[in-house]
């Protein structure tokens, strides 16, 4: 066990309590007022220069050290703070105090982990350069990373590289998983509206039924992945909502479909959008309906750069040993708005195991589930990783 990890474990009780406090008081994206104030107060108390308000509720803590100071290298570390609109079912003593809201993705743990590293680095950090700790709002589908960037994040706090970490149920606690290249999928949100002609269910010949057209479109969309996307490429088209009518004897005037579209390649992303438009318009026309399609861009493909990922791999190997590191883990079909930051800067996004079936417990439960909870044993491991990465990147 490294000295850094031993030192961070001494802070486990303090930051476990902090994590559980954040867990008890979840806040949705752009509403993280309590959480961001908690973060800002602690960073300021430890000597960081604190900036509030980027992206609405975002917080940046900056620490400059060494002879080179602001003329040296500049590192960014990011944690997300927002919760989800889910009713918690864990029954834990630190369960959410707010009905219908919970930290079901571990952002409470990510925040506590980076704060633990922040305290250690402020008190004992041996580095030469500028450390920017970025506490981001609204990761869960609201693009808080992009909003912080639009508010001048990297103009005010330039970084030579940026890193972030997410917990991953299904892997043993503390296992570090890294990957270079495309690591998480792009996401596109699409709404299809079909306009028909309403009528009596007993006389369909004098109506134009958007339900039938919509059903054909749902089935037809699945052929895009099966027959248009190269077999070795990943793509997902999910119709998550199909809404039309309220009575069994009424043909409705309108039907709407809500789609989630994902891929790991920008060219595939463009192919999917083109083929969705072509198929929807053709199918709708064949049934006599008018179709309108709204593309609401989600998150781009998250692409980790090779030099920064190699750097993070070496830190991981030194910290926990090769038996606890996966050097090139499989990509994920989930999406993450850290991808916006990686479009502008080199960097890497890695994962830390949150528990598997062998360990049981709430940490092994998949994220976005009402029974999920962050494994507090990861706070020391994740914080030690951030400390070692900082001291190595900004080596004195």
């Amino acid at each position: 066990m490294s000295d850094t990890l031993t030192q961070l474990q001494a802070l486990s009780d303090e930051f476990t309590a902090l994590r559980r406090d954040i867990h008890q008081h979840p806040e949705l994206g752009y509403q993280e007022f309590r959480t961001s104030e908690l973060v800002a107060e602690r960073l300021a108390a430890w000597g960081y220069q604190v900036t509030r308000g980027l992206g609405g509720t975002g917080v940046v803590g900056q620490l400059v050290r060494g002879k080179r100071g602001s003329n040296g290298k500049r590192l960014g570390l990011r944690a997300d703070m927002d919760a989800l609109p889910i009713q918690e079912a864990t029954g834990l003593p630190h369960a959410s105090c707010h009905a219908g809201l919970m930290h079901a993705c571990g952002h409470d743990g990510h925040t506590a982990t980076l704060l633990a590293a922040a305290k250690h680095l402020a008190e004992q950090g041996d580095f030469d350069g500028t450390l920017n700790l970025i506490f981001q709002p609204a990761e869960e589908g609201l693009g808080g990373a992009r909003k912080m960037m639009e508010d001048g994040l990297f103009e005010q706090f330039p970084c030579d590289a940026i890193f972030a970490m997410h917990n991953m149920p299904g892997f043993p606690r503390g296992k570090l998983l890294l990957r270079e290249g495309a690591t998480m999928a792009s996401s596109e949100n699409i709404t299809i509206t079909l306009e028909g002609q309403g009528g009596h269910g007993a006389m369909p010949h004098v109506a134009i039924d958007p339900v039938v057209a919509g059903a054909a479109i749902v089935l037809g969309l699945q052929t895009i992945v099966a027959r248009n996307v190269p077999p070795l490429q990943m793509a997902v088209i999910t119709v998550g909502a199909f809404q039309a009518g309220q009575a069994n004897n009424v043909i409705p005037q309108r039907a709407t479909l809500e789609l989630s579209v994902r891929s790991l390649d920008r060219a595939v992303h463009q192919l999917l959008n083109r083929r969705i438009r072509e198929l929807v318009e053709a199918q709708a026309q064949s049934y006599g309906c008018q179709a309108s399609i709204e593309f609401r861009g989600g998150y781009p493909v998250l692409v980790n750069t090779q030099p920064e990922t190699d750097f993070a791999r070496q830190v991981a190997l030194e910290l926990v040993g090769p038996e606890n590191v996966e050097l090139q883990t499989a990509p994920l079909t989930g999406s993450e708005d850290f991808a916006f930051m990686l479009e502008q800067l080199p960097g890497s996004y890695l994962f830390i195991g949150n528990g598997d079936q062998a360990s049981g417990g709430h940490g092994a439960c998949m994220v976005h589930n009402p029974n999920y909870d962050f494994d507090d044993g990861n706070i020391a491991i994740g914080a030690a990783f951030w400390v070692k990465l900082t001291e190595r990147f900004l080596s004195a």
Side-chain angles (χ1 to χ4, degrees), residues 190-361:
I190 301 173
T191 299
I192 298 168
T193 303
L194 301 170
E195 291 286 346
Q197 181 175 312
H200 198 294
M203 294 174 282
H205 61 291
V206 293
I208 298 174
D209 194 343
V211 175
V212 176
I217 287 170
V218 171
L219 293 176
L221 287 171
Q222 307 312 308
T223 67
I224 295 175
V225 175
R227 287 295 176 265
N228 299 132
V229 176
L232 296 180
Q233 295 277 16
M234 188 285 291
V236 175
I237 300 176
T238 295
V239 181
F242 186 165
Q243 299 171 337
Q246 295 179 329
N248 66 353
N249 65 344
V250 177
I251 294 173
Q253 180 80 15
R254 179 181 296 107
T256 60
L257 289 76
E258 298 288 346
L259 277 61
S260 173
V261 180
R262 299 172 185 271
S263 66
L264 280 167
D265 182 89
R266 293 185 180 95
V268 171
H269 182 93
Q270 294 170 355
L271 168 67
L272 292 172
N273 284 1
R274 176 175 61 81
R275 286 295 296 132
I276 287 170
R277 181 178 294 281
E278 292 171 350
L279 187 144
V280 168
E281 290 176 347
Q283 287 279 41
Q285 185 178 22
S286 72
Y287 287 92
C289 292
Q290 295 292 320
S292 62
I293 308 172
E294 179 187 2
F295 292 85
R296 302 187 308 282
Y299 295 166
V301 179
L302 186 149
V303 181
N304 287 332
T305 50
Q306 182 265 325
E308 287 67 32
T309 302
D310 276 346
F311 176 79
R313 285 169 175 150
Q314 292 305 311
V315 173
L317 290 168
E318 291 177 14
L319 179 67
V320 296
E323 67 278 9
N324 294 309
V325 178
E326 197 165 299
L327 296 175
Q328 185 70 352
T329 194
L332 298 179
T333 54
S335 301
E336 160 63 59
D337 75 346
F338 189 66
F340 289 118
M341 295 187 179
L342 289 175
E343 284 189 324
Q344 186 165 332
L345 294 172
S348 195
Y349 184 86
L350 66 146
F351 305 95
I352 185 168
N354 201 59
D356 54 14
Q357 289 184 348
S359 62

Side-chain angles (χ1 to χ4, degrees), residues 16 33 76 129 189 301 328 367 371:
T16 293
F33 304 110
N189 305 310
V301 179
Q328 185 70 352
V367 296
N371 289 296

Side-chain angles (χ1 to χ4, degrees), residues 19-26 93-98 103 108:
R19 198 284 296 183
R20 294 182 179 183
D21 177 72
I22 296 171
H23 187 92
Q24 285 185 300
H25 302 90
H94 59 272
S96 171
C97 295
H98 304 309
H103 272 289
D108 51 341

Side-chain angles (χ1 to χ4, degrees), residues 65-69 72-75 125-130 311 387-396:
R65 283 273 176 84
K67 297 178 181 179
R68 290 176 294 174
K73 294 181 70 175
R74 303 156 303 181
L75 173 66
D126 180 20
F127 64 90
D128 188 350
T130 300
F311 176 79
V387 168
K388 287 184 71 69
L389 184 138
T390 298
E391 293 183 335
R392 179 66 60 82
F393 192 89
L394 303 175
S395 56

Side-chain angles (χ1 to χ4, degrees), residues 15 30 34 36 59 64 69 71 79 119 126 132 139 239 384 389:
F15 287 94
Y30 300 122
R34 182 184 186 275
S36 63
V59 178
V64 180
N71 294 319
K119 182 176 183 180
D126 180 20
N132 298 310
E139 187 281 324
V239 181
L389 184 138

Side-chain angles (χ1 to χ4, degrees), residues 15 18-30 32 35-36 38-39 78-86 102-116 134-145 164-169 184 299 335-338 349 351-352 354 367-368 372-376 379 386:
F15 287 94
L18 177 65
R19 198 284 296 183
R20 294 182 179 183
D21 177 72
I22 296 171
H23 187 92
Q24 285 185 300
H25 302 90
E27 297 170 300
L28 295 177
Y30 300 122
E32 307 94 332
T35 307
S36 63
L38 179 154
V39 167
R78 173 272 209 174
D80 37 18
M81 300 186 293
D82 55 322
L84 284 157
I86 295 175
M102 74 170 288
H103 272 289
C105 203
H107 296 184
D108 51 341
H110 304 161
T111 297
T113 298
L114 189 54
L115 284 173
I134 301 164
F135 292 85
Q136 179 208 305
E139 187 281 324
E140 295 289 356
L142 298 175
M165 180 190 298
H166 201 292
N167 77 95
M168 182 50 59
M184 297 189 73
Y299 295 166
S335 301
E336 160 63 59
D337 75 346
F338 189 66
Y349 184 86
F351 305 95
I352 185 168
N354 201 59
V367 296
H368 292 220
Y372 166 87
D373 192 35
F374 183 83
D375 187 330
D376 290 315
I379 295 175
W386 288 140

